[in-house]
């Protein structure tokens, strides 16, 4: 088969959206061109389709920082660094950096089981699993290219801590790529089951580092957010 399918989704819809309130907005860096913020797990990046899901990182940044504009997104369950543009020129510049893959990103994840190797990579094309959306799946015929490097950081009795470096930005890329290795991310309500789901009260995925070119000054800048579950 050319596609790696998943069984019908049992993931419940997002009904009781209760985003964390403290801290309301964690700002790592801000100037007149960009703002770097640390998104908590459980907070949407942008408003949801349901009118009750209006509270999000974009709204909070606009309330506290002014004309803050979303450039990229993290899944609601993922925590970590995001950059926002503070004006139209910066928004265009940063958008091009993400499009041309000029930025550098790394994540930390805790996955179920013990990885046999110290490092490796996953190069598997991904496509939306439409009957079970927003899930994604591997599809060699119609999927878009997706590549992730991984490095083992540590192990405990039942899990492994890994650093993940995506070279593409597909939806759920890190989740599905680790699943393809047989090591689902702990607490993943979309892809984990049994002990791997029950062993964590959140998705154990955190955007720890973001490197980019400052849109006005042209200098390279690196930002980091310590992993809360490492």
């Amino acid at each position: 088969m050319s596609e790696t399918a998943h069984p019908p989704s049992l993931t419940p819809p997002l009904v009781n959206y209760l985003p964390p309130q403290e801290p309301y907005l964690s700002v790592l860096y801000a100037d007149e061109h960009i703002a770097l913020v640390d998104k908590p797990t459980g907070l949407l990046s942008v408003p949801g389709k349901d009118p009750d899901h209006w509270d999000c990182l974009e709204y909070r940044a606009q309330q506290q920082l002014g004309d803050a504009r979303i450039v990229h997104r993290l899944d609601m369950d993922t925590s970590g660094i995001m950059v926002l543009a503070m004006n139209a020129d910066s928004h265009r510049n940063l958008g091009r950096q993400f499009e041309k893959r000029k930025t550098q990103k790394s994540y930390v994840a805790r996955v179920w089981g013990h990885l046999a190797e110290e490092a490796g990579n996953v190069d598997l094309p991904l496509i939306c699993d439409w009957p079970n959306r927003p899930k994604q799946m591997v599809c060699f015929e119609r999927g878009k290219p997706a590549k992730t490097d991984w490095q083992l950081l540590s192990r405990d009795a039942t899990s492994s801590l890994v650093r993940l470096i995506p070279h593409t930005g597909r939806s759920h890329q890190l989740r599905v790529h680790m699943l393809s290795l047989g090591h689902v991310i702990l607490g993943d309500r979309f892809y984990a089951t049994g002990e791997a789901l029950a062993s964590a009260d959140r998705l154990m995925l955190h955007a720890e580092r973001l490197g980019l070119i400052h849109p006005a000054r042209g200098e390279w800048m690196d930002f980091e957010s310590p992993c809360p579950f490492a």
Side-chain angles (χ1 to χ4, degrees):
M1 294 180 62
S2 60
E3 297 185 0
T4 302
H6 304 300
S9 173
L10 298 177
T11 304
L14 179 59
V15 177
N16 297 319
Y17 178 49
L18 299 172
Q21 298 299 313
E22 294 294 336
Y24 185 74
L25 183 70
S26 178
V27 180
L28 304 175
Y29 173 87
D31 61 26
E32 65 269 34
H33 305 286
I34 60 174
L36 279 295
V37 298
D38 199 352
K39 188 187 86 67
T41 183
L43 179 67
L44 291 166
S45 294
V46 296
K49 294 180 180 180
D50 189 315
D52 290 336
H53 301 163
W54 56 268
D55 190 7
C56 62
L57 184 82
E58 181 181 48
Y59 172 82
R60 295 183 181 190
Q62 290 171 352
Q63 290 292 303
Q64 292 204 353
L65 301 175
D67 188 19
R69 308 176 185 204
I70 283 287
V71 178
H72 64 125
R73 303 182 189 185
L74 292 177
D75 291 340
M76 183 188 77
D77 297 332
T78 304
S79 59
I81 294 182
M82 290 180 60
V83 61
L84 297 99
M86 300 304 296
N87 53 60
D89 288 341
S90 294
H91 190 263
R92 285 190 292 269
N93 183 291
L94 291 169
R96 286 195 298 269
Q97 289 189 50
F98 278 92
E99 180 183 357
K100 302 297 184 182
R101 301 175 188 170
K102 299 295 185 182
T103 60
Q104 293 182 4
K105 297 178 285 184
S106 68
Y107 295 72
V108 173
R110 187 169 291 281
V111 302
W112 185 252
H114 292 164
L115 288 151
E117 306 294 330
E118 296 295 317
N121 64 78
V122 182
D123 191 354
L124 293 173
L126 301 177
I127 193 172
C128 182
D129 182 6
W130 282 105
N132 301 315
R133 57 188 181 274
K135 283 187 175 182
Q136 308 292 307
M137 65 182 183
V138 175
C139 177
F140 293 98
E141 291 181 352
R142 296 177 288 116
K144 295 182 179 180
K147 182 178 179 181
T148 303
D149 293 337
W150 62 267
Q151 175 189 2
L152 178 66
L153 299 177
S154 65
R155 298 185 182 96
D156 63 15
T158 59
S159 67
S160 301
L161 191 70
V162 293
R163 175 166 289 118
L164 305 175
I165 301 175
H167 295 278
T168 48
R170 308 302 176 200
S171 179
H172 288 194
Q173 175 176 322
L174 302 180
R175 303 185 191 215
V176 178
H177 276 179
M178 296 314 293
L179 175 67
S180 74
L181 294 177
H183 298 283
V184 68
I185 298 176
L186 300 189
D188 191 338
R189 62 192 179 95
F190 289 107
Y191 303 98
T193 59
E195 290 182 279
L197 177 61
S199 61
D201 60 2
R202 57 156 291 178
L203 175 70
M204 293 290 188
L205 180 62
H206 179 76
E208 67 162 355
R209 175 180 174 264
L210 177 60
L212 53 84
I213 302 168
H214 192 281
R217 301 198 295 265
E219 64 185 40
W220 182 260
M221 302 183 76
D222 268 307
F223 301 92
E224 293 186 1
S225 166
C227 180
F229 54 81

PDB file of all heavy atoms in Angstrom, residues 161-189:
ATOM      1  N   LEU A 161      13.803  10.837  25.749  1.00  0.00           N
ATOM      2  CA  LEU A 161      13.756  12.275  25.479  1.00  0.00           C
ATOM      3  C   LEU A 161      14.580  12.528  24.231  1.00  0.00           C
ATOM      4  O   LEU A 161      15.744  12.113  24.147  1.00  0.00           O
ATOM      5  CB  LEU A 161      14.318  13.060  26.668  1.00  0.00           C
ATOM      6  CG  LEU A 161      14.094  14.574  26.642  1.00  0.00           C
ATOM      7  CD1 LEU A 161      12.619  14.894  26.867  1.00  0.00           C
ATOM      8  CD2 LEU A 161      14.953  15.272  27.701  1.00  0.00           C
ATOM      9  N   VAL A 162      13.983  13.200  23.242  1.00  0.00           N
ATOM     10  CA  VAL A 162      14.653  13.404  21.964  1.00  0.00           C
ATOM     11  C   VAL A 162      14.583  14.869  21.552  1.00  0.00           C
ATOM     12  O   VAL A 162      13.661  15.598  21.921  1.00  0.00           O
ATOM     13  CB  VAL A 162      14.026  12.533  20.855  1.00  0.00           C
ATOM     14  CG1 VAL A 162      14.272  11.056  21.125  1.00  0.00           C
ATOM     15  CG2 VAL A 162      12.533  12.805  20.701  1.00  0.00           C
ATOM     16  N   ARG A 163      15.584  15.280  20.781  1.00  0.00           N
ATOM     17  CA  ARG A 163      15.552  16.591  20.122  1.00  0.00           C
ATOM     18  C   ARG A 163      15.153  16.363  18.672  1.00  0.00           C
ATOM     19  O   ARG A 163      15.704  15.477  18.002  1.00  0.00           O
ATOM     20  CB  ARG A 163      16.904  17.287  20.216  1.00  0.00           C
ATOM     21  CG  ARG A 163      16.960  18.610  19.443  1.00  0.00           C
ATOM     22  CD  ARG A 163      18.165  19.436  19.810  1.00  0.00           C
ATOM     23  NE  ARG A 163      18.024  19.987  21.159  1.00  0.00           N
ATOM     24  CZ  ARG A 163      18.854  19.698  22.166  1.00  0.00           C
ATOM     25  NH1 ARG A 163      19.867  18.857  21.983  1.00  0.00           N
ATOM     26  NH2 ARG A 163      18.652  20.235  23.352  1.00  0.00           N
ATOM     27  N   LEU A 164      14.211  17.145  18.195  1.00  0.00           N
ATOM     28  CA  LEU A 164      13.686  16.998  16.841  1.00  0.00           C
ATOM     29  C   LEU A 164      13.961  18.271  16.047  1.00  0.00           C
ATOM     30  O   LEU A 164      13.668  19.373  16.510  1.00  0.00           O
ATOM     31  CB  LEU A 164      12.185  16.725  16.879  1.00  0.00           C
ATOM     32  CG  LEU A 164      11.739  15.528  17.721  1.00  0.00           C
ATOM     33  CD1 LEU A 164      10.216  15.461  17.773  1.00  0.00           C
ATOM     34  CD2 LEU A 164      12.315  14.237  17.163  1.00  0.00           C
ATOM     35  N   ILE A 165      14.511  18.097  14.849  1.00  0.00           N
ATOM     36  CA  ILE A 165      14.811  19.236  13.977  1.00  0.00           C
ATOM     37  C   ILE A 165      14.073  19.035  12.663  1.00  0.00           C
ATOM     38  O   ILE A 165      14.473  18.212  11.837  1.00  0.00           O
ATOM     39  CB  ILE A 165      16.325  19.374  13.742  1.00  0.00           C
ATOM     40  CG1 ILE A 165      17.053  19.562  15.071  1.00  0.00           C
ATOM     41  CG2 ILE A 165      16.613  20.546  12.789  1.00  0.00           C
ATOM     42  CD1 ILE A 165      18.561  19.593  14.957  1.00  0.00           C
ATOM     43  N   PRO A 166      12.983  19.766  12.467  1.00  0.00           N
ATOM     44  CA  PRO A 166      12.234  19.623  11.212  1.00  0.00           C
ATOM     45  C   PRO A 166      12.877  20.442  10.094  1.00  0.00           C
ATOM     46  O   PRO A 166      13.281  21.585  10.296  1.00  0.00           O
ATOM     47  CB  PRO A 166      10.862  20.185  11.575  1.00  0.00           C
ATOM     48  CG  PRO A 166      11.141  21.198  12.649  1.00  0.00           C
ATOM     49  CD  PRO A 166      12.329  20.689  13.411  1.00  0.00           C
ATOM     50  N   HIS A 167      12.968  19.856   8.910  1.00  0.00           N
ATOM     51  CA  HIS A 167      13.466  20.566   7.736  1.00  0.00           C
ATOM     52  C   HIS A 167      12.322  21.018   6.839  1.00  0.00           C
ATOM     53  O   HIS A 167      12.547  21.715   5.848  1.00  0.00           O
ATOM     54  CB  HIS A 167      14.435  19.678   6.963  1.00  0.00           C
ATOM     55  CG  HIS A 167      15.682  19.357   7.730  1.00  0.00           C
ATOM     56  ND1 HIS A 167      16.759  20.222   7.797  1.00  0.00           N
ATOM     57  CD2 HIS A 167      16.016  18.297   8.498  1.00  0.00           C
ATOM     58  CE1 HIS A 167      17.712  19.695   8.556  1.00  0.00           C
ATOM     59  NE2 HIS A 167      17.277  18.524   9.000  1.00  0.00           N
ATOM     60  N   THR A 168      11.109  20.613   7.187  1.00  0.00           N
ATOM     61  CA  THR A 168       9.892  21.069   6.532  1.00  0.00           C
ATOM     62  C   THR A 168       8.889  21.381   7.640  1.00  0.00           C
ATOM     63  O   THR A 168       9.132  21.062   8.798  1.00  0.00           O
ATOM     64  CB  THR A 168       9.330  19.985   5.594  1.00  0.00           C
ATOM     65  OG1 THR A 168       9.298  18.727   6.299  1.00  0.00           O
ATOM     66  CG2 THR A 168      10.193  19.826   4.345  1.00  0.00           C
ATOM     67  N   GLY A 169       7.785  21.981   7.272  1.00  0.00           N
ATOM     68  CA  GLY A 169       6.828  22.408   8.289  1.00  0.00           C
ATOM     69  C   GLY A 169       5.434  21.871   8.070  1.00  0.00           C
ATOM     70  O   GLY A 169       4.459  22.622   8.109  1.00  0.00           O
ATOM     71  N   ARG A 170       5.322  20.576   7.829  1.00  0.00           N
ATOM     72  CA  ARG A 170       4.007  19.975   7.597  1.00  0.00           C
ATOM     73  C   ARG A 170       3.212  19.859   8.902  1.00  0.00           C
ATOM     74  O   ARG A 170       3.786  19.688   9.971  1.00  0.00           O
ATOM     75  CB  ARG A 170       4.152  18.590   6.973  1.00  0.00           C
ATOM     76  CG  ARG A 170       5.031  18.537   5.746  1.00  0.00           C
ATOM     77  CD  ARG A 170       4.557  19.451   4.648  1.00  0.00           C
ATOM     78  NE  ARG A 170       5.489  19.442   3.522  1.00  0.00           N
ATOM     79  CZ  ARG A 170       5.551  20.387   2.600  1.00  0.00           C
ATOM     80  NH1 ARG A 170       4.733  21.428   2.667  1.00  0.00           N
ATOM     81  NH2 ARG A 170       6.410  20.297   1.609  1.00  0.00           N
ATOM     82  N   SER A 171       1.909  19.904   8.764  1.00  0.00           N
ATOM     83  CA  SER A 171       1.034  19.739   9.920  1.00  0.00           C
ATOM     84  C   SER A 171       1.262  18.383  10.572  1.00  0.00           C
ATOM     85  O   SER A 171       1.327  17.357   9.888  1.00  0.00           O
ATOM     86  CB  SER A 171      -0.428  19.863   9.478  1.00  0.00           C
ATOM     87  OG  SER A 171      -1.314  19.698  10.556  1.00  0.00           O
ATOM     88  N   HIS A 172       1.427  18.371  11.901  1.00  0.00           N
ATOM     89  CA  HIS A 172       1.632  17.156  12.695  1.00  0.00           C
ATOM     90  C   HIS A 172       2.870  16.365  12.267  1.00  0.00           C
ATOM     91  O   HIS A 172       2.984  15.175  12.556  1.00  0.00           O
ATOM     92  CB  HIS A 172       0.402  16.236  12.607  1.00  0.00           C
ATOM     93  CG  HIS A 172      -0.785  16.746  13.354  1.00  0.00           C
ATOM     94  ND1 HIS A 172      -1.887  15.948  13.630  1.00  0.00           N
ATOM     95  CD2 HIS A 172      -1.071  17.960  13.888  1.00  0.00           C
ATOM     96  CE1 HIS A 172      -2.796  16.663  14.289  1.00  0.00           C
ATOM     97  NE2 HIS A 172      -2.310  17.883  14.455  1.00  0.00           N
ATOM     98  N   GLN A 173       3.803  17.049  11.595  1.00  0.00           N
ATOM     99  CA  GLN A 173       4.973  16.338  11.069  1.00  0.00           C
ATOM    100  C   GLN A 173       5.737  15.576  12.139  1.00  0.00           C
ATOM    101  O   GLN A 173       6.040  14.385  11.974  1.00  0.00           O
ATOM    102  CB  GLN A 173       5.914  17.334  10.382  1.00  0.00           C
ATOM    103  CG  GLN A 173       7.234  16.714   9.907  1.00  0.00           C
ATOM    104  CD  GLN A 173       8.095  17.683   9.159  1.00  0.00           C
ATOM    105  OE1 GLN A 173       7.601  18.504   8.390  1.00  0.00           O
ATOM    106  NE2 GLN A 173       9.416  17.631   9.373  1.00  0.00           N
ATOM    107  N   LEU A 174       6.059  16.233  13.239  1.00  0.00           N
ATOM    108  CA  LEU A 174       6.860  15.584  14.275  1.00  0.00           C
ATOM    109  C   LEU A 174       6.092  14.448  14.926  1.00  0.00           C
ATOM    110  O   LEU A 174       6.652  13.393  15.233  1.00  0.00           O
ATOM    111  CB  LEU A 174       7.299  16.615  15.318  1.00  0.00           C
ATOM    112  CG  LEU A 174       8.107  17.794  14.765  1.00  0.00           C
ATOM    113  CD1 LEU A 174       8.488  18.752  15.890  1.00  0.00           C
ATOM    114  CD2 LEU A 174       9.352  17.322  14.032  1.00  0.00           C
ATOM    115  N   ARG A 175       4.811  14.632  15.132  1.00  0.00           N
ATOM    116  CA  ARG A 175       3.980  13.591  15.739  1.00  0.00           C
ATOM    117  C   ARG A 175       3.959  12.330  14.866  1.00  0.00           C
ATOM    118  O   ARG A 175       4.162  11.208  15.357  1.00  0.00           O
ATOM    119  CB  ARG A 175       2.541  14.081  15.908  1.00  0.00           C
ATOM    120  CG  ARG A 175       2.364  15.356  16.736  1.00  0.00           C
ATOM    121  CD  ARG A 175       0.878  15.606  16.878  1.00  0.00           C
ATOM    122  NE  ARG A 175       0.570  16.925  17.423  1.00  0.00           N
ATOM    123  CZ  ARG A 175      -0.459  17.161  18.235  1.00  0.00           C
ATOM    124  NH1 ARG A 175      -1.244  16.177  18.605  1.00  0.00           N
ATOM    125  NH2 ARG A 175      -0.712  18.373  18.669  1.00  0.00           N
ATOM    126  N   VAL A 176       3.699  12.503  13.568  1.00  0.00           N
ATOM    127  CA  VAL A 176       3.558  11.351  12.674  1.00  0.00           C
ATOM    128  C   VAL A 176       4.906  10.709  12.388  1.00  0.00           C
ATOM    129  O   VAL A 176       5.014   9.481  12.287  1.00  0.00           O
ATOM    130  CB  VAL A 176       2.845  11.768  11.370  1.00  0.00           C
ATOM    131  CG1 VAL A 176       2.736  10.581  10.411  1.00  0.00           C
ATOM    132  CG2 VAL A 176       1.452  12.305  11.678  1.00  0.00           C
ATOM    133  N   HIS A 177       5.958  11.502  12.280  1.00  0.00           N
ATOM    134  CA  HIS A 177       7.273  10.936  12.031  1.00  0.00           C
ATOM    135  C   HIS A 177       7.754  10.088  13.212  1.00  0.00           C
ATOM    136  O   HIS A 177       8.331   9.011  13.017  1.00  0.00           O
ATOM    137  CB  HIS A 177       8.277  12.033  11.699  1.00  0.00           C
ATOM    138  CG  HIS A 177       8.253  12.434  10.261  1.00  0.00           C
ATOM    139  ND1 HIS A 177       9.061  13.422   9.738  1.00  0.00           N
ATOM    140  CD2 HIS A 177       7.525  11.952   9.209  1.00  0.00           C
ATOM    141  CE1 HIS A 177       8.825  13.540   8.442  1.00  0.00           C
ATOM    142  NE2 HIS A 177       7.894  12.667   8.100  1.00  0.00           N
ATOM    143  N   MET A 178       7.515  10.544  14.431  1.00  0.00           N
ATOM    144  CA  MET A 178       7.891   9.711  15.579  1.00  0.00           C
ATOM    145  C   MET A 178       6.995   8.481  15.676  1.00  0.00           C
ATOM    146  O   MET A 178       7.458   7.388  16.015  1.00  0.00           O
ATOM    147  CB  MET A 178       7.840  10.530  16.871  1.00  0.00           C
ATOM    148  CG  MET A 178       8.849  11.685  16.918  1.00  0.00           C
ATOM    149  SD  MET A 178      10.527  11.213  16.393  1.00  0.00           S
ATOM    150  CE  MET A 178      10.986  10.089  17.711  1.00  0.00           C
ATOM    151  N   LEU A 179       5.721   8.640  15.361  1.00  0.00           N
ATOM    152  CA  LEU A 179       4.822   7.489  15.324  1.00  0.00           C
ATOM    153  C   LEU A 179       5.308   6.457  14.318  1.00  0.00           C
ATOM    154  O   LEU A 179       5.241   5.247  14.573  1.00  0.00           O
ATOM    155  CB  LEU A 179       3.413   7.965  14.959  1.00  0.00           C
ATOM    156  CG  LEU A 179       2.338   6.886  14.764  1.00  0.00           C
ATOM    157  CD1 LEU A 179       2.039   6.188  16.084  1.00  0.00           C
ATOM    158  CD2 LEU A 179       1.073   7.502  14.173  1.00  0.00           C
ATOM    159  N   SER A 180       5.823   6.917  13.176  1.00  0.00           N
ATOM    160  CA  SER A 180       6.298   5.998  12.142  1.00  0.00           C
ATOM    161  C   SER A 180       7.489   5.174  12.613  1.00  0.00           C
ATOM    162  O   SER A 180       7.734   4.080  12.095  1.00  0.00           O
ATOM    163  CB  SER A 180       6.674   6.774  10.873  1.00  0.00           C
ATOM    164  OG  SER A 180       7.905   7.473  11.030  1.00  0.00           O
ATOM    165  N   LEU A 181       8.231   5.692  13.601  1.00  0.00           N
ATOM    166  CA  LEU A 181       9.355   4.952  14.168  1.00  0.00           C
ATOM    167  C   LEU A 181       8.905   3.980  15.257  1.00  0.00           C
ATOM    168  O   LEU A 181       9.720   3.233  15.803  1.00  0.00           O
ATOM    169  CB  LEU A 181      10.381   5.927  14.759  1.00  0.00           C
ATOM    170  CG  LEU A 181      11.108   6.851  13.775  1.00  0.00           C
ATOM    171  CD1 LEU A 181      12.040   7.792  14.538  1.00  0.00           C
ATOM    172  CD2 LEU A 181      11.882   6.064  12.740  1.00  0.00           C
ATOM    173  N   GLY A 182       7.626   4.029  15.596  1.00  0.00           N
ATOM    174  CA  GLY A 182       7.118   3.187  16.670  1.00  0.00           C
ATOM    175  C   GLY A 182       7.266   3.806  18.037  1.00  0.00           C
ATOM    176  O   GLY A 182       7.167   3.105  19.051  1.00  0.00           O
ATOM    177  N   HIS A 183       7.478   5.138  18.091  1.00  0.00           N
ATOM    178  CA  HIS A 183       7.711   5.830  19.360  1.00  0.00           C
ATOM    179  C   HIS A 183       6.847   7.090  19.407  1.00  0.00           C
ATOM    180  O   HIS A 183       7.330   8.209  19.200  1.00  0.00           O
ATOM    181  CB  HIS A 183       9.187   6.172  19.526  1.00  0.00           C
ATOM    182  CG  HIS A 183      10.079   4.975  19.567  1.00  0.00           C
ATOM    183  ND1 HIS A 183      10.206   4.184  20.683  1.00  0.00           N
ATOM    184  CD2 HIS A 183      10.858   4.418  18.600  1.00  0.00           C
ATOM    185  CE1 HIS A 183      11.051   3.192  20.423  1.00  0.00           C
ATOM    186  NE2 HIS A 183      11.455   3.308  19.172  1.00  0.00           N
ATOM    187  N   VAL A 184       5.565   6.905  19.663  1.00  0.00           N
ATOM    188  CA  VAL A 184       4.625   8.012  19.681  1.00  0.00           C
ATOM    189  C   VAL A 184       4.969   8.981  20.812  1.00  0.00           C
ATOM    190  O   VAL A 184       5.504   8.582  21.850  1.00  0.00           O
ATOM    191  CB  VAL A 184       3.184   7.468  19.837  1.00  0.00           C
ATOM    192  CG1 VAL A 184       2.983   6.846  21.218  1.00  0.00           C
ATOM    193  CG2 VAL A 184       2.147   8.538  19.570  1.00  0.00           C
ATOM    194  N   ILE A 185       4.668  10.266  20.614  1.00  0.00           N
ATOM    195  CA  ILE A 185       4.914  11.269  21.642  1.00  0.00           C
ATOM    196  C   ILE A 185       3.922  11.076  22.784  1.00  0.00           C
ATOM    197  O   ILE A 185       2.722  10.887  22.561  1.00  0.00           O
ATOM    198  CB  ILE A 185       4.814  12.688  21.066  1.00  0.00           C
ATOM    199  CG1 ILE A 185       5.883  12.894  19.976  1.00  0.00           C
ATOM    200  CG2 ILE A 185       4.983  13.740  22.169  1.00  0.00           C
ATOM    201  CD1 ILE A 185       5.791  14.240  19.273  1.00  0.00           C
ATOM    202  N   LEU A 186       4.412  11.108  24.009  1.00  0.00           N
ATOM    203  CA  LEU A 186       3.555  10.914  25.175  1.00  0.00           C
ATOM    204  C   LEU A 186       2.468  11.991  25.243  1.00  0.00           C
ATOM    205  O   LEU A 186       2.717  13.161  24.959  1.00  0.00           O
ATOM    206  CB  LEU A 186       4.380  10.949  26.460  1.00  0.00           C
ATOM    207  CG  LEU A 186       5.485   9.908  26.631  1.00  0.00           C
ATOM    208  CD1 LEU A 186       6.034   9.968  28.047  1.00  0.00           C
ATOM    209  CD2 LEU A 186       4.998   8.511  26.314  1.00  0.00           C
ATOM    210  N   GLY A 187       1.273  11.565  25.668  1.00  0.00           N
ATOM    211  CA  GLY A 187       0.179  12.506  25.853  1.00  0.00           C
ATOM    212  C   GLY A 187      -0.442  13.012  24.575  1.00  0.00           C
ATOM    213  O   GLY A 187      -1.243  13.966  24.615  1.00  0.00           O
ATOM    214  N   ASP A 188      -0.138  12.390  23.433  1.00  0.00           N
ATOM    215  CA  ASP A 188      -0.674  12.852  22.155  1.00  0.00           C
ATOM    216  C   ASP A 188      -2.092  12.326  21.973  1.00  0.00           C
ATOM    217  O   ASP A 188      -2.306  11.148  21.679  1.00  0.00           O
ATOM    218  CB  ASP A 188       0.222  12.365  21.016  1.00  0.00           C
ATOM    219  CG  ASP A 188      -0.123  13.016  19.684  1.00  0.00           C
ATOM    220  OD1 ASP A 188      -1.264  13.490  19.535  1.00  0.00           O
ATOM    221  OD2 ASP A 188       0.757  13.053  18.803  1.00  0.00           O
ATOM    222  N   ARG A 189      -3.077  13.216  22.132  1.00  0.00           N
ATOM    223  CA  ARG A 189      -4.479  12.800  22.087  1.00  0.00           C
ATOM    224  C   ARG A 189      -4.926  12.398  20.688  1.00  0.00           C
ATOM    225  O   ARG A 189      -6.006  11.819  20.514  1.00  0.00           O
ATOM    226  CB  ARG A 189      -5.382  13.898  22.643  1.00  0.00           C
ATOM    227  CG  ARG A 189      -5.359  15.201  21.870  1.00  0.00           C
ATOM    228  CD  ARG A 189      -6.036  16.325  22.649  1.00  0.00           C
ATOM    229  NE  ARG A 189      -5.990  17.591  21.923  1.00  0.00           N
ATOM    230  CZ  ARG A 189      -6.976  18.027  21.151  1.00  0.00           C
ATOM    231  NH1 ARG A 189      -8.079  17.308  21.013  1.00  0.00           N
ATOM    232  NH2 ARG A 189      -6.880  19.175  20.527  1.00  0.00           N
TER     233      ARG A 189
END
